[in-house]
Every structure is written in structure tokens, then in C-alpha cells.
Amino acid sequence: MEDGKNLVVLTHGGAGSDPAHADGTAIAGQLCMMDLQTGVPTIDAACQAVATLEDDGRFNAGIGSHKRSDDSVQMDASCMDSSGTFGAVATLEGFKNPVHVARIVSQSEYKMLAGRGANEFAANQDCQTLSPDQLKGSGADFSATDTVGCVVRSGDEFACALSTGGIDQAIPGRVGDVPLIGCGLYAGPEGAVAATGDGEAIAMQVTALRVYQLIEQGMDPKAIVPTVIGWFKETTAFGIIVVSKTGFAGGANRGMAWTASEMMV
Ligand code: ASP
């Protein structure tokens, strides 16, 4: 690696998650930072952080995914990097790390796979399955949202990844912002953005792309975060993490477990 490369990792456990669970986002961030230090591509490092959060069990993703109104568990996940790689899955069922499936989609001829086709694709790729007894996300003390996300910088390269079980008790087939490019996430040569909260509201604001445009206009992430939180009603759960060449920031209009770390190598 060349001297003076700036490494930055931000991880979140979702708008509405318990800030006391920031130990989980910190561990995911540390593993991601170690990946970056050893030269793992930014998108794989971001996906690895999100997979760690999917395996935590306290967040609404992976083994912590909330149930739908019919008791099914359907998960959405996505990843993107500044070289234009993007992949996503929607309403995936029965796989432990949807973000890994999204990453494999990003390496295929497709950008997003949903439902039965996504399940068949994941099965054909030998992705690790998830049995009903591994699920931990049905407890009544869970917040309605709590998805997980990561944004990463390694020098001039950026990436982001997201994963969610969706909104608690939503009907089967409901898809939020997470797999929608420019809504839940966006990465480009100037930075990376990952949103969390009410997926319908986030999608209707085309949130992540518009945040990225603020970065392109030269706005600092520390100013962007409160500005973007202001786009949403206080009753609408919303949170965001942002990294650019000028800095990084995160925040939400309610509690959120999130952590950030920076290192020069
Ligand atoms: N945005 C996710 C969704 O609507 C939920 C969340 O962020 O907690 O599916």
C-alpha cells in the first residue's frame, strides 16, 4: 500500500437500535478495518462488516431478522462500490448472510434478484442456509427497524453495504429501500452513503443518491447528516452514515448503535 492512505469504516445497527449495542457495530468495524489494512477490496470489507452484524442476532438482519405478518422471514441486502459495482437481493428466504448473496449477484450478469429466483441463485452458489431455529429476531423487545449497514473508504476508493429483515410485521413481498440503488445506499468516486429507517420514506426521497450529490457539491458529512435528517418527519425513523474525502459522520432521529474508526496507513 502507498503511504498516507486514509482508511475509514462506519457501521450502524439501524435507526431505532439500542445505542448500548454499539459493541456489535464496533467489532464489525474492527474486522472491516483489519480487512482494509490487508488490502481486501472495499466492497468485500464492507460486506464482511455487514455479515458480522447479520450474525450478531441483536439487529434486524441475518439471524436477527424480524418476522413478516405471516411468520415468514424475508431479507433484503445490497452492496456497491465506487468503481460502479452493484448487487442486491430482495425477499431472500432461508440464507444466513444475504449480503454475501448480494455480493455474488454483483459479480454476475445481473444487478438484483428477488424471491424464488434469488433463493435458487443462492442455493446454486452454495450460500450458507439459515434454519428457523437459528433465528433470534422475533422477540417483542425489538424495535420495528434496526437494519444494518457499513460505509468504507480506502484512499480514493469507497464502498457500502446494507442488510435487513425489513420492517417488523410487514406483509410478505414488501421491499424497502435496502436493495434499491440510490435509495438505501450509494457509492461513487467522492464517497459512500448508507441509510436506515422507514424504507418507503427513504425510497421516495431517493435519499442516498441525493446525499451523494451533496458530497459532490463539496458539503462536509458533518453538515450533511443533520441536513438530511431534516428531510424526514420526526415520526419517521431515519438514520444515516456517510464518508467522503473530506470526512465522515453518522446520526439518526432516534437511538442508533453506530461506530466509526479512521486510520492512516
Ligand atoms: N430501511 C429498512 C427497510 O425499510 C429498515 C431499516 O433500516 O431498519 O427495509
Side-chain angles (χ1 to χ4, degrees):
M1 264 177 202
E2 73 265 30
D3 283 346
K5 186 186 264 194
N6 194 208
L7 306 181
V8 180
V9 176
L10 286 87
T11 43
H12 76 69
S17 58
D18 187 342
H21 294 164
D23 60 312
T25 58
I27 288 167
Q30 281 163 17
L31 294 174
C32 180
M33 187 59 95
M34 284 163 62
D35 278 350
L36 294 179
Q37 285 176 275
T38 57
V40 170
T42 52
I43 192 166
D44 292 307
C47 288
Q48 191 50 52
V50 164
T52 302
L53 294 164
E54 288 175 335
D55 291 341
D56 185 297
R58 294 175 295 175
F59 305 113
N60 176 12
I63 64 169
S65 292
H66 295 184
K67 289 188 172 161
R68 302 289 172 123
S69 57
D70 66 349
D71 266 2
S72 65
V73 172
Q74 297 185 331
M75 300 168 285
D76 305 333
S78 58
C79 57
M80 184 169 186
D81 74 13
S82 49
S83 70
T85 302
F86 175 83
V89 287
T91 65
L92 184 77
E93 292 187 66
F95 291 90
K96 184 165 160 283
N97 294 113
V99 75
H100 287 330
V101 187
R103 175 66 178 126
I104 300 170
V105 172
S106 80
Q107 294 162 311
S108 77
E109 63 191 291
Y110 305 109
K111 297 296 179 199
M112 191 199 297
L113 294 174
R116 182 168 61 83
N119 295 340
E120 286 176 8
F121 177 87
N124 288 336
Q125 299 293 331
D126 288 331
C127 293
Q128 205 177 338
T129 55
L130 175 67
S131 62
D133 58 323
Q134 287 174 289
L135 286 164
K136 301 193 186 321
S138 54
D141 57 338
F142 279 79
S143 137
T145 52
D146 289 6
T147 202
V148 303
C150 176
V151 296
V152 162
R153 175 184 183 192
S154 176
D156 290 336
E157 293 167 17
F158 295 89
C160 46
L162 291 176
S163 183
T164 187
I167 298 279
D168 197 31
Q169 292 295 312
I171 63 167
R174 179 265 182 190
V175 177
D177 58 304
V178 164
L180 303 180
I181 189 168
C183 295
L185 80 173
Y186 197 81
E190 300 302 323
V193 181
T196 168
D198 181 321
E200 281 73 8
I202 293 167
M204 292 309 288
Q205 294 264 14
V206 198
T207 304
L209 178 61
R210 289 176 57 216
V211 171
Y212 183 76
Q213 288 168 340
L214 294 179
I215 295 173
E216 283 183 317
Q217 288 160 22
M219 198 165 171
D220 188 78
K222 287 194 172 48
I224 288 175
V225 168
T227 301
V228 178
I229 289 173
W231 295 350
F232 295 85
K233 289 188 220 147
E234 275 176 31
T235 49
T236 302
F238 179 72
I240 194 156
I241 50 177
V242 183
V243 62
S244 76
K245 288 177 181 167
T246 62
F248 56 88
N253 60 9
R254 57 209 62 215
M256 180 165 85
W258 72 280
T259 37
S261 55
E262 181 179 28
M263 184 176 277
M264 289 296 283
V265 291

